[in-house]
């Protein structure tokens, strides 16, 4: 979800070998907090009003009268209500058919750190029946966007000085040393500047907020739609407040038990799952033949050659207009795998990169030049730009803050470079970047953050509906299966699709099942498998 080129990509990438992971388990376990939901404060009603001018400008003109906004105060620290409050930004789209309204539907897009504030706009367009029957409510979780964003720096100059030390895929000794130092300086900045909220951004606090908001909008039971990290919010809510769930749809599921018990191993397994999707993409390209611009010869072998060449140093790609580094390549490949619609463009740009490595050895690829060249270009001189010392920092560091709170990591930074050496052999494309992606958690300034770590098997009043893609690069299919096995009452719909998550116009089959469930609480038969509306390269 994450910042501009050359800034750290805090999206959780992958997870450590069993031998190294065992060291982590020496870290003291944190008790499963929030086992006392009755202790939550009473929820005063939300006071809805006109949305801010900048928000109104983003809303569909024909639909604008259905939207209203609010700031809702929740306790900063639920254990000490007198410690102050956090104002949560909420946006509501009123149901099109108020006479048949079923309640409110809350949603979260993932991240962590993703803004859910304007999600009702997309949901109303992509799932119109949901917009007819529910008030759609978007919100920024605490620490995110308009809800008291976590900021670890005071100026952009300070942030740039730290982030420029961090290499996404550090290979050489100096790159590794710089990355480790940059991460330590980042955590020092968080300790100095983020304030008291830093200790209270874990998912269990977001879930407590969600339950207050549910009551505050007048719903006796929760309707919720969560994607990616949003599935951890859903699973946590379902186990803290099982009898308060009416309908819950979770798409692109994490493994909550692993994620909240061993952060490094969770990253290790994410890396392995993402590497599986890299290999599946290359096999699919080979099968597609001329429909895939990267299909000449052996795509897997050619891809490995590109990766190894970039490991030795950057490559100038005239057709793209900039120089590609190993970090840029890894981030671009991993990011492109999130959307199946991006696969033809990914293939085309890989072909352009290969041609740049072998100038004159291969004829210019018309297909690649037509479909490619839309690779996200790094900002010119991003690392050297002259930033005024008094320019306020506008970034949001909630993503890493939530991950370091939710996922236990050993307080041994040296574990990450050691893991990188092993993971790169196991997952040569993404293993190294995943191993370094959350080094900051090893020196995180909140030593014993409050987290919920189970149980996960409490039975909800109605089944939780899960969707999982076979080829999901972020939350691999094994994670979806484990979520289904860990929850106490659920139904998993598998989807024979590439990309991260499926709902919202990618599969008529999946959307129809989700709509029937949300409206009528109808659950599909066990073992249901959906197809996407189209596969890559078709």
């Amino acid at each position: 979800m994450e910042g501009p080129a050359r800034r750290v990509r805090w999206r959780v990438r992958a997870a450590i070998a069993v031998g190294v992971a065992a060291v982590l388990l020496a870290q003291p376990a944190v008790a499963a907090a929030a086992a006392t939901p009755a202790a939550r404060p009473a929820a005063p009603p939300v006071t809805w009003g006109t949305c801010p001018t900048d928000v109104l400008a983003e809303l569909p003109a024909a639909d604008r009268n259905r939207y209203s906004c609010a700031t809702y105060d929740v306790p900063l620290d639920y254990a000490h209500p007198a410690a102050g409050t956090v104002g949560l930004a909420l946006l509501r789209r009123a149901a099109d058919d108020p006479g048949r309204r079923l309640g409110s539907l809350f949603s979260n897009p993932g991240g962590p750190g993703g803004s859910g504030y304007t999600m009702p706009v997309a949901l109303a367009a992509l799932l119109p029946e949901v917009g007819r029957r529910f008030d759609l409510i978007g919100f920024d979780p605490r620490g995110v966007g308009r809800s008291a964003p976590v900021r670890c720096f005071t100026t952009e100059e300070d942030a740039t000085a730290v982030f420029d030390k961090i290499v996404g895929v550090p290979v050489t000794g100096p790159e590794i040393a710089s990355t480790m130092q940059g991460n330590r300086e980042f955590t020092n900045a968080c300790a100095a500047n983020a304030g008291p909220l830093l200790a209270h951004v874990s998912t269990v606090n977001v879930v407590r907020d969600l339950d207050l908001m549910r009551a505050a909008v007048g719903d006796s039971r929760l309707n919720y739609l969560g994607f990616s990290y949003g599935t951890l919010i859903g699973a946590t809510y379902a186990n803290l407040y099982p009898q308060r769930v009416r309908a819950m749809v979770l798409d692109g599921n994490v493994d909550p038990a692993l994620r909240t018990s061993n952060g490094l191993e969770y990253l290790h397994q994410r890396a392995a799952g993402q590497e599986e999707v890299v290999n599946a993409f290359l096999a699919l390209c080979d099968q597609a033949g001329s429909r895939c611009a990267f299909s000449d010869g052996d795509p897997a072998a050619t891809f490995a050659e590109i990766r190894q060449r970039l490991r030795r140093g950057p490559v100038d790609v005239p057709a793209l207009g900039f120089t590609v580094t190993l970090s840029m390549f890894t981030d671009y490949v991993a990011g492109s795998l999130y959307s199946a619609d991006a696969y033809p463009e990914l293939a085309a740009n890989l072909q352009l990169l290969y041609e740049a490595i072998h100038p004159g050895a291969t004829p210019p690829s018309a297909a690649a030049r037509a479909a490619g060249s839309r690779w996200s270009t790094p900002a010119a001189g991003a690392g050297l730009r002259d930033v005024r010392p008094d320019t306020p920092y506008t970034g949001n560091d909630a993503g890493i803050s939530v991950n370091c709170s939710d996922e236990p990591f050993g307080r041994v930074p040296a574990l990450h470079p050691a893991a990188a050496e092993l993971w790169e052999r196991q997952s040569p494309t993404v293993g190294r970047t995943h191993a370094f992606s959350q080094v900051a958690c090893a020196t995180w300034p909140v030593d014993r953050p409050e987290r919920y770590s189970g149980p996960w098997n409490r039975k909800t009043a109605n089944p939780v509906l899960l969707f999982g893609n076979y080829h999901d690069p972020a939350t691999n299919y094994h994670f979806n299966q484990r979520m289904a096995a860990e929850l106490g009452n659920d139904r998993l719909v598998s989807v024979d699709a590439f990309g991260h998550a499926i709902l919202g116009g990618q599969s008529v089959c999946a959307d129809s099942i989700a709509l029937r469930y949300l409206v009528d609480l109808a659950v599909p038969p066990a073992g249901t498998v959906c197809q996407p509306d189209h596969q890559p390269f078709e």
Side-chain angles (χ1 to χ4, degrees), residues 137-177:
I137 298 182
F139 69 100
D140 283 345
R142 56 172 59 208
V144 175
R146 295 171 181 265
S147 298
V150 172
R151 292 195 170 119
C152 292
F153 301 95
T154 57
T155 71
E156 287 287 345
E157 183 184 52
D158 292 341
T160 298
V162 171
F163 287 136
D164 279 355
K165 294 179 181 180
I166 299 174
V167 180
V169 190
V171 174
T172 66
E175 287 177 341
I176 292 172

Side-chain angles (χ1 to χ4, degrees), residues 30-183:
V30 178
T36 56
R40 66 181 179 84
V46 176
T47 301
W48 298 103
T50 303
C51 292
T53 303
D54 62 323
V55 176
L56 287 172
E58 298 181 29
L59 304 178
D63 213 19
R64 205 165 286 165
N65 65 317
R66 295 197 173 279
Y67 288 89
S68 53
C69 293
T71 299
Y72 191 73
D73 290 336
V74 296
L76 168 67
D77 181 353
Y78 278 85
H80 302 94
T85 61
V86 179
L88 304 182
L90 281 71
L91 180 145
R92 177 183 66 177
R93 182 191 183 277
D96 292 319
D97 189 349
R100 301 173 65 216
R101 176 182 171 277
L102 292 168
S104 304
L105 176 66
F106 288 85
S107 56
N108 180 273
S115 171
Y117 187 66
T118 58
M119 275 193 75
V121 179
L123 290 177
L126 296 172
L127 300 171
E129 181 62 21
V130 170
R132 279 190 281 272
R133 303 298 299 276
F134 293 91
D135 290 347
L136 305 178
I137 298 182
F139 69 100
D140 283 345
R142 56 172 59 208
V144 175
R146 295 171 181 265
S147 298
V150 172
R151 292 195 170 119
C152 292
F153 301 95
T154 57
T155 71
E156 287 287 345
E157 183 184 52
D158 292 341
T160 298
V162 171
F163 287 136
D164 279 355
K165 294 179 181 180
I166 299 174
V167 180
V169 190
V171 174
T172 66
E175 287 177 341
I176 292 172
S178 178
T179 297
M180 301 299 285
Q181 178 63 26
N183 274 282

Side-chain angles (χ1 to χ4, degrees), residues 24-33 260-262 405 407-409 447-453:
L24 291 178
L25 300 182
Q27 176 175 314
V30 178
T260 58
S261 65
N262 191 329
S405 297
E407 304 174 25
F409 284 87
D447 186 43
R448 292 179 64 86
E450 183 183 22
R451 68 171 61 92
Y452 180 80
S453 55

